Amino acid sequence: SATRAMPGLAWLIRTVLDGVDASRAAVDEALAGGDSVGVAPGGIEEMFQGYPKPGWGKDEEAALLKSRKGFIRLAKKYDVPVVPVFCFGASKLMRRFDLPFAEALSKLLRASLVVVY
């Protein structure tokens, strides 16, 4: 994950944001310790869906869950509730440049590289 490649980012997430890495092992450990966990299962792919990508209108949003079921298995394992939340309009908070290489590079690095303005 990106936190292994960038130790400073890992420190920021753990210390300042009181978060955990998005890996299965880290989420498993957090749930085993009784922590609550928020997950954005669409990840990087979801960030790049929607406007200004061709074929998407300014008022359209995307939620991608098709192959993201690991968080459900962990919730069942620890008998914790899953509370679905979708933030309508989140894609309108900032505009982003549609840079074709950014999506591929983000997937490769497993970190979102989005240029906003």
Side-chain angles (χ1 to χ4, degrees):
S1 77
T3 57
R4 279 184 249 148
M6 297 177 267
L9 178 61
W11 175 86
L12 176 75
I13 290 171
R14 280 193 316 271
T15 309
V16 178
L17 302 175
D18 194 28
V20 297
D21 182 79
S23 69
R24 175 185 287 265
V27 174
D28 196 334
E29 183 179 332
L31 290 173
D35 292 331
S36 295
V37 178
V39 179
I44 293 168
E45 186 178 357
E46 191 172 276
M47 290 180 64
F48 288 98
Q49 293 300 316
Y51 186 80
K53 200 168 192 172
W56 288 85
K58 288 184 179 184
D59 294 324
E60 294 178 306
E61 306 257 351
L64 305 175
L65 298 170
K66 62 183 173 191
S67 63
R68 309 295 180 127
K69 299 178 188 93
F71 69 102
I72 298 293
R73 284 191 287 275
L74 285 173
K76 287 175 71 174
K77 176 179 177 180
Y78 291 102
D79 195 29
V80 294
V82 174
V83 181
V85 175
F86 186 82
C87 298
F88 289 95
S91 61
K92 292 185 176 188
L93 291 174
M94 293 184 214
R95 293 186 213 164
R96 69 175 172 85
F97 288 107
D98 188 22
L99 303 173
F101 68 88
E103 185 173 0
L105 187 58
S106 292
K107 287 180 182 179
L108 179 70
L109 296 174
R110 300 189 67 182
S112 57
L113 303 172
V114 179
V115 179
V116 294
Y117 63 98

